[in-house]
Amino acid sequence: MKLVLIMLLLITSLMTIVGAFLMTSITSFYIDQFYEQMSGTFGNDRASFYQALRSEAAGEDGLQRVRQMLEANAGALGIDARSRNYYILDGNSGAVLTGSDEEGAGQLVQTANLMAARNGEVGDDSDITANYMDFAIPIKGDDSFFIIYIYDNRDAVSDLNAQLFMIIVQALLVGLLISVLLSFLLSKTMTTPIEKLTEGAERVAAGDFSNAITVESSDEIGVLTTTFNDMAAVLEETLAAVETERNKLDTLFLHMTDGVVAFAGDGTIVHCNPAASAMLESAVEVMDYDSLFAGLCPLSELRALRRPDFRAAEMNIHEKYIEIYFAPFDQDSGSGVMAVLHDITAQRKNEEMRKEFVANVSHELRTPLTNVRSYAETIRDSYDIPREMENGFLDIIIGETDRMTHIVQDLLTLSRLDSGRAELKMLRFPFGDAIESVCRAVELEAQRRGHTLVRSYDIGELPMIVGDRNRLEQVMMNVIGNAIKYTPDGGTIRVSAGSGASKVWMEVLDNGIGIPRQDWNRIFDRFYRVDKARSRESGGTGLGLSIAREIVLRHGGTIGPVEHEGKGTTIRITLPIRQAAQAGEHHE
Ligand code: ADP
């Protein structure tokens, strides 16, 4: 529509200007021609004609003579008696004496040129605004005074202009019609590719890159279409790359063990990975920076940081130790803050355990050392000490040194097991035989304490297993030994065993002091004893079950207390019959 309107406006204004120019040109040409004719006839070139007119006018029948001369020159003056006429006026009165149009003579107006002629001058001023052209020349004889007045009512030029106007209007109409048609066709050829391009752009905007737009021409629009197709291709590639990058990051965030929480500039959460939700254990979606970490570092301070600066903080939440690193990242709505959460609970617990362990070792060694020192000092300082008493003291010293040796040996064993240096000698051996030899070894001690040792297994039915026999016997010895130790004299200790498809088990049941439920997990901790005094009294180090568990775990088995009716304790050991790795390098 715009194009058509512009064309119409253009054609109309062009035709109007051309028409106006033509019509003005024709009028001025006509006027110029009139005055050229007049001056050509009466002016300098033909001064003789003017002289002849004067001499004729001076004659007796002057008026008639002048009239005849004018009639003779009518052709040169362009007088046609219709639009252009001549009149001969009396110079003094201004009355029309004769003329080529007798009727029009009465309507003559006193024009400026006529007035000039009456004053004796030639009236040859042209006036383009007037609707007539006139020329007046005075002819003075001795006593006669005529004015020759030529008057043109411009009908000829008006007719011509009217015709021209009609032609221009017709040409305008035809031109408009043609231009409407042409501009319509032109706009069609221009807008069709633009419409196609628009459709394509809309498809691309909606994310559909499947169809490239066909290039139909090599003009600017063709170039634009090609460029657009290239741009869409680059955009598709870039989007695919961004998508892959985002998927990678998503997967990373989803599966990484560290928590990641991203906050927008106003503190709202924009991203939170599962690890972070698990660590913070709260409805993270409805929380913001202030409700989570306000106490650690103000958000405004973090937002003012510039990469690669960061802030580290630590917090204790839900019995977990979490180390947090804060760093700013750029976002559209101002810089946001990223928090990376690292769960250091296990590390902390390990540190605490290590400290506790060192404290325990020192304590365990200090007690016997103090004893040794005080008895040795007593022996040194007392000269009259009876021999038996001295022997008794020396026995205590030997006992305490044995105890220390025991502790140090146990610690060594544990350290070897921990570091994996303790090689297990994996061999096939009958499980039943091992139990039987342990039972036989402790039988005497049990008897001494008045215990009844019940063997509730059938050696023949127990299978061969693969394992380090010596170490497994050490485990059994420890468990049965504990049962003997922690059961008041005269108790009953039952050792039972059996096998399944891939496992063997052994249970040691006693009716002794039992282990409180809350200590079940802790008895395997190093140096942990439920009843410290009793354990020490019976020569225990608090390391036996720790070593036992390490050995059983290295065999791929389990060890632990199980539910027990009545008083006492039941410890159950399970072991795989055949280990996956025969080399003895199996680690839990
Ligand atoms: P200890 O050298 O002190 O016996 P252990 O590691 O063998 O060390 O055992 C750890 C603790 O577990 C013991 O001090 C004891 O308090 C408890 N315990 C182990 N076995 C029994 C049991 N059969 N009855 C009661 N308490 C037991």
Side-chain angles (χ1 to χ4, degrees):
M1 268 319 285
K2 268 189 202 163
L3 204 72
V4 172
L5 276 179
I6 288 172
M7 290 288 269
L8 290 185
L9 217 65
L10 207 73
I11 296 279
T12 314
S13 51
L14 196 74
M15 292 300 266
T16 311
I17 291 166
V18 167
F21 184 74
L22 266 180
M23 279 155 76
T24 319
S25 302
I26 285 172
T27 308
S28 45
F29 172 77
Y30 201 76
I31 292 171
D32 288 351
Q33 206 197 26
F34 173 79
Y35 287 102
E36 266 170 30
Q37 265 180 343
M38 293 307 132
S39 58
T41 310
F42 299 105
N44 294 339
D45 302 352
R46 292 184 61 193
S48 54
F49 177 65
Y50 182 63
Q51 286 304 326
L53 272 177
R54 285 187 67 176
S55 57
E56 290 297 338
E60 208 173 289
D61 201 8
L63 182 64
Q64 280 306 315
R65 305 289 298 182
V66 170
R67 185 189 164 114
Q68 277 168 6
M69 274 186 78
L70 284 176
E71 287 284 349
N73 280 284
L77 289 168
I79 287 163
D80 55 4
R82 267 180 290 113
S83 63
R84 191 179 296 181
N85 289 294
Y86 71 87
Y87 300 97
I88 302 171
L89 283 84
D90 181 60
N92 297 318
S93 65
V96 179
L97 301 173
T98 183
S100 56
D101 177 24
E102 302 286 341
E103 287 167 24
Q107 292 152 21
L108 277 188
V109 195
Q110 291 294 321
T111 65
N113 285 339
L114 200 53
M115 293 303 284
R118 286 183 69 183
N119 290 332
E121 288 161 21
V122 177
D124 59 353
D125 283 343
S126 67
D127 180 3
I128 197 157
T129 54
N131 59 355
Y132 62 86
M133 300 178 291
D134 62 346
F135 180 83
I137 185 162
I139 308 285
K140 270 194 174 164
D142 296 333
D143 51 357
S144 63
F145 180 18
F146 297 116
I147 291 170
I148 296 175
Y149 184 58
I150 308 207
Y151 179 85
D152 190 313
N153 61 9
R154 282 206 206 166
D155 274 359
V157 71
S158 300
D159 286 352
L160 198 64
N161 276 342
Q163 272 179 28
L164 196 69
F165 184 74
M166 281 315 290
I167 290 169
I168 287 172
V169 169
Q170 281 166 3
L172 182 69
L173 288 177
V174 175
L176 287 181
L177 199 73
I178 292 171
S179 70
V180 166
L181 278 172
L182 276 182
S183 58
F184 187 72
L185 284 177
L186 189 70
S187 64
K188 211 60 200 146
T189 55
M190 273 166 70
T191 53
T192 311
I194 292 178
E195 275 166 8
K196 274 192 188 170
L197 200 60
T198 312
E199 275 170 27
E202 278 167 358
R203 275 205 310 273
V204 168
D208 173 13
F209 294 98
S210 53
N211 297 320
I213 309 162
T214 41
V215 183
E216 279 161 0
S217 59
S218 58
D219 57 5
E220 284 83 351
I221 290 186
V223 174
L224 181 65
T225 313
T226 316
T227 316
F228 181 82
N229 282 340
D230 292 350
M231 190 195 75
V234 172
L235 192 67
E236 191 181 5
E237 270 173 33
T238 315
L239 276 182
V242 169
E243 183 73 14
T244 317
E245 235 11 76
R246 216 191 59 187
N247 284 344
K248 260 198 254 171
L249 272 182
D250 274 355
T251 316
L252 186 77
F253 282 152
L254 199 66
H255 299 293
M256 69 192 283
T257 48
D258 280 351
V260 175
V261 191
F263 298 95
D266 60 356
T268 48
I269 292 180
V270 287
H271 184 88
C272 177
N273 75 344
S277 308
M279 276 184 218
L280 299 169
E281 276 181 22
S282 40
V284 177
E285 303 76 41
V286 296
M287 308 210 71
D288 61 358
Y289 182 85
D290 285 339
S291 53
L292 283 172
F293 307 126
L296 300 177
C297 196
L299 185 65
S300 53
E301 188 186 318
L302 297 173
R303 289 184 63 205
L305 290 176
R306 287 288 149 259
R307 281 198 277 188
D309 290 350
F310 66 91
R311 289 270 183 282
E314 218 180 283
M315 69 186 274
N316 195 333
I317 183 170
H318 304 294
E319 293 177 1
K320 280 188 206 141
Y321 292 98
I322 298 174
E323 198 170 41
I324 309 165
Y325 294 94
F326 295 105
F329 70 95
D330 291 332
Q331 229 200 9
D332 295 344
S333 53
S335 91
V337 170
M338 189 85 98
V340 178
L341 285 70
H342 188 54
D343 191 344
I344 51 164
T345 316
Q347 200 178 319
R348 272 292 155 85
K349 285 215 168 119
N350 268 342
E351 273 168 27
E352 275 166 22
M353 269 168 66
R354 200 174 302 131
K355 280 184 199 155
E356 199 183 302
F357 181 70
V358 172
N360 278 335
V361 171
S362 330
H363 179 76
E364 291 299 325
L365 290 176
R366 205 178 54 222
T367 318
L369 271 175
T370 318
N371 283 346
V372 168
R373 189 187 164 90
S374 52
Y375 282 105
E377 273 174 357
T378 314
I379 295 169
R380 188 192 64 190
D381 297 344
S382 342
Y383 300 104
D384 51 351
I385 186 166
R387 179 80 189 147
E388 306 88 69
M389 196 186 252
E390 192 180 276
N391 279 349
F393 285 179
L394 287 172
D395 281 347
I396 292 174
I397 291 176
I398 293 167
E400 290 294 349
T401 12
D402 281 352
R403 197 172 139 69
M404 281 192 285
T405 316
H406 211 145
I407 292 175
V408 171
Q409 264 171 358
D410 278 359
L411 282 173
L412 265 174
T413 313
L414 261 181
S415 135
R416 284 211 194 95
L417 286 168
D418 279 349
S419 64
R421 271 183 289 127
E423 282 260 323
L424 298 183
K425 295 192 189 74
M426 304 301 275
L427 292 170
R428 268 166 69 84
F429 68 92
F431 186 54
D433 277 9
I435 299 177
E436 184 59 26
S437 69
V438 173
C439 284
R440 241 183 265 131
V442 297
E443 212 161 22
L444 260 179
E445 175 65 9
Q447 266 172 23
R448 202 176 61 75
R449 300 279 305 265
H451 293 317
T452 318
L453 185 66
V454 185
R455 292 169 195 175
S456 165
Y457 52 84
D458 184 351
I459 300 181
E461 279 184 8
L462 291 172
M464 302 277 278
I465 66 162
V466 175
D468 186 328
R469 182 169 176 164
N470 281 340
R471 291 205 187 272
L472 288 177
E473 280 185 9
Q474 187 188 341
V475 172
M476 293 171 192
M477 186 80 86
N478 182 274
V479 173
I480 301 173
N482 278 349
I484 293 170
K485 274 196 290 186
Y486 299 108
T487 303
D489 291 358
T492 307
I493 290 144
R494 178 186 296 274
V495 178
S496 47
S499 65
S502 61
K503 280 179 181 160
V504 287
W505 58 267
M506 171 194 171
E507 271 182 12
V508 179
L509 176 149
D510 64 53
N511 56 355
I513 58 169
I515 304 170
R517 187 71 209 223
Q518 72 267 21
D519 289 317
W520 276 22
N521 279 332
R522 306 206 56 194
I523 52 168
F524 296 97
D525 288 352
R526 291 160 195 199
F527 295 113
Y528 188 81
R529 297 150 171 145
V530 179
D531 182 346
K532 284 200 169 50
R534 187 190 285 256
S535 162
R536 199 164 292 132
E537 196 179 284
S538 54
T541 59
L543 291 171
L545 282 183
S546 315
I547 296 174
R549 191 176 70 153
E550 289 300 325
I551 295 172
V552 171
L553 290 182
R554 289 277 301 269
H555 279 84
T558 59
I559 178 169
V562 288
E563 292 294 344
H564 177 103
E565 265 186 30
K567 63 175 194 146
T569 308
T570 302
I571 302 282
R572 182 183 170 93
I573 301 170
T574 61
L575 290 165
I577 290 178
R578 190 175 295 274
Q579 275 202 278
Q582 300 255 325
E585 284 308 320
H586 183 96
H587 293 277
E588 175 74 349

